[in-house]
Amino acid sequence: MDIKGLERIGDYAWRIAPVAEMSVPAIIFADERLIAGMDEKVREQIINVTCLPGIVGAAYAMPDAHWGYGFPIGGVAAFAPEEGGVISAGGVGFDISCGVRLLTTGLVRADIEAVKHTFAHELSRAIPAGLGSKGRIVLDNVEMDAMLSGGGVWAVRAGYGRSEDLERVEERGRTKGAVPEFISPKARERQFREMGTLGSGNHYLEVQEVEEVFDAEAARGFGLAVGNIVLMIHCGSRGLGHQIGTEFLREMAIAAPDFGIHLPDRELACAPIESELGQRYLGAMRAGINCALANRQILTHLARDAFGRFFPNADLAVVYDVSHNTCKDEDHLIGGSRRRVFVHRKGATRALGPGDERLPDALRDHGQPVLIGGSMGTSSYVLAGEARSEAIALSSACHGAGRAMSRHAAAKSWKGREVQDTLARSGIIVKNPSSRGIAEEAPGAYKSVDAVVEVAEKAGLARRVARLKPVICIKG
């Protein structure tokens, strides 16, 4: 992105020069290097977001921002319902509630080193991954409704995990306001056999080692210490979420003129929050969030089984589970007054600060764990939310490194087998059913996660707690 047309408003914050159609400012969190690496589409898309009805405060692009569908990936914006604010399926994304769960294991690197290769094979057998992957769980319509309403709570009651897991999950494992009746037969059909599966793309289940601690007190509170083995799970709502997004984007685009909405980009298709269409999407999207929460809970159960077969003393305990690709009904201090707004976070995660009552007691003193995933050969990070992040960016932070090139370009630049072999030489085992999938997700296809996280901390979005390095990656 050309730095011209950007006004520096802080060491790591930039405001885009306003144009007539913008209702609020557009702000990008980055340093010069990250700005230079962003595609121009980020500027165009975040400007378009500021033109949507009922937006308040500002539209934000996180340090990992890159081109997306409608909103940029890493886009955050809030809309006020009493001002005709809208909800946009393009502002949530197709993979509704794609998110990250982190678990401690009670193991250290020496415990797994001797059996690393056979254990990696066992994990790859236990965790269905890849495009169109199917699991062993088959739901009928009654069970589907219960899952869509209950999320992680349903999964635990069905025997997939422990009740204490839910204390460390956003919304305690279940998002209220889900309406299963708003989920179409086609969306249901796509999900009947996909519970307990990773899917494809950038999804993964990764065994990691805590390599460095930056905030010792918060790390202790999160149960992390140098040398510990942890498990990170990254996945979402699978085919169901994608179908919800596809159907409602189409319906919203057709209905926009009836609401008097001029779309700067058809991909920003939206509807007033308080309209019948807006309420239907909210009910369906919340059901999609519950699907993702249930899916990650089932994957936790499957991972525990696999660990238990190799390491009887392992104890996989949830540190936290946080979603990106959501729209949440929240109260925020905006323009000097506390207001109810609907916050879209697409490729961005909530980052609640210390003392927030929505956090479990064990985490409240430290702030919410913010889980930043890497890409196979790169580090992942645990951050903690900062109280000042609310005023800076609606209590939001980045969610990963962000792509530096498209999947198509990555597949032309690398061969999957070569990437796999290179990582193996550095001690990282990657299992993936698709060689092309590995090439598309090559570490070099992403921005520097270290640079993204450093900017997030210096901008005040969240602070670094620990860095994690990959050991075994089951790639979707």
Side-chain angles (χ1 to χ4, degrees), residues 60-380:
Y60 305 97
M62 295 292 112
D64 56 337
H66 59 98
W67 174 85
Y69 189 98
F71 273 51
I73 308 298
V76 177
F79 297 83
E82 75 276 6
E83 295 184 17
V86 296
I87 186 165
S88 170
V92 172
F94 290 99
D95 194 2
I96 295 170
S97 189
C98 182
V100 182
R101 175 174 293 205
L102 183 70
L103 302 102
T104 56
T105 68
L107 304 173
V108 296
R109 181 66 177 262
D111 293 327
I112 69 168
E113 196 60 34
V115 295
K116 187 170 68 173
H117 288 275
T118 52
F119 180 51
H121 178 69
E122 179 64 21
L123 275 177
S124 69
R125 290 179 63 253
I127 307 298
L131 184 65
S133 52
K134 305 296 182 186
R136 293 186 291 273
I137 299 167
V138 182
L139 302 181
D140 60 24
N141 263 315
V142 173
E143 292 168 320
M144 178 75 71
D145 282 350
M147 180 273 290
L148 295 172
S149 296
V153 175
W154 166 85
V156 168
R157 288 175 179 169
Y160 305 113
R162 312 187 291 233
S163 58
E164 58 264 33
D165 294 342
L166 302 175
E167 286 300 307
R168 297 295 191 97
V169 180
E170 230 179 354
E171 318 296 350
R172 301 301 195 273
R174 175 182 177 269
T175 294
K176 298 176 182 177
V179 186
E181 302 91 88
F182 295 160
I183 303 299
S184 71
K186 187 169 184 179
R188 290 167 177 268
E189 181 183 350
R190 293 186 65 177
Q191 197 61 29
F192 281 132
R193 289 286 310 276
E194 290 195 348
M195 298 306 297
T197 65
L198 277 179
S200 59
N202 63 347
H203 294 169
Y204 58 79
L205 181 143
E206 192 166 275
V207 178
Q208 302 165 336
E209 180 184 1
V210 180
E211 185 176 30
E212 185 175 2
V213 165
F214 304 95
D215 184 329
E217 185 178 351
R220 281 193 297 272
F222 295 169
L224 305 174
V226 172
N228 287 174
I229 291 295
V230 297
L231 181 71
M232 184 175 280
I233 301 171
H234 177 207
C235 68
S237 51
R238 302 289 285 112
L240 181 133
H242 196 282
Q243 192 63 33
I244 292 170
T246 299
E247 292 171 356
F248 277 93
L249 275 164
R250 184 185 306 117
E251 187 173 357
M252 287 175 172
I254 293 170
D258 296 335
F259 294 122
I261 295 173
H262 167 69
L263 295 174
D265 178 357
R266 184 180 172 86
E267 293 180 359
L268 286 173
C270 56
I273 294 164
E274 295 187 335
S275 68
E276 184 271 342
L277 175 54
Q279 289 297 303
R280 272 197 293 115
Y281 176 70
L282 267 173
M285 180 206 66
R286 288 165 174 162
I289 291 174
N290 283 338
C291 176
L293 294 175
N295 194 35
R296 290 195 289 275
Q297 185 62 45
I298 293 170
L299 287 168
T300 297
H301 174 76
L302 296 176
R304 280 178 174 145
D305 279 353
F307 268 82
R309 289 192 287 274
F310 276 74
F311 313 105
N313 296 325
D315 180 21
L316 273 63
V318 178
V319 176
Y320 205 64
D321 181 306
V322 64
S323 298
H324 36 268
N325 293 2
T326 61
C327 178
K328 290 182 178 288
D329 183 348
E330 299 175 353
D331 291 331
H332 283 283
L333 190 63
I334 298 174
S337 61
R338 190 152 289 278
R339 308 180 65 180
R340 179 192 179 212
V341 291
F342 285 74
V343 183
H344 294 64
R345 295 184 180 93
K346 181 177 182 179
T349 179
R350 195 158 70 174
L352 304 176
D356 196 291
E357 294 183 354
R358 287 166 289 187
L359 293 173
D361 292 343
L363 301 176
R364 196 166 296 159
D365 288 346
H366 310 292
Q368 177 206 302
V370 176
L371 308 175
I372 308 297
S375 175
M376 295 190 293
T378 63
S379 299
S380 295

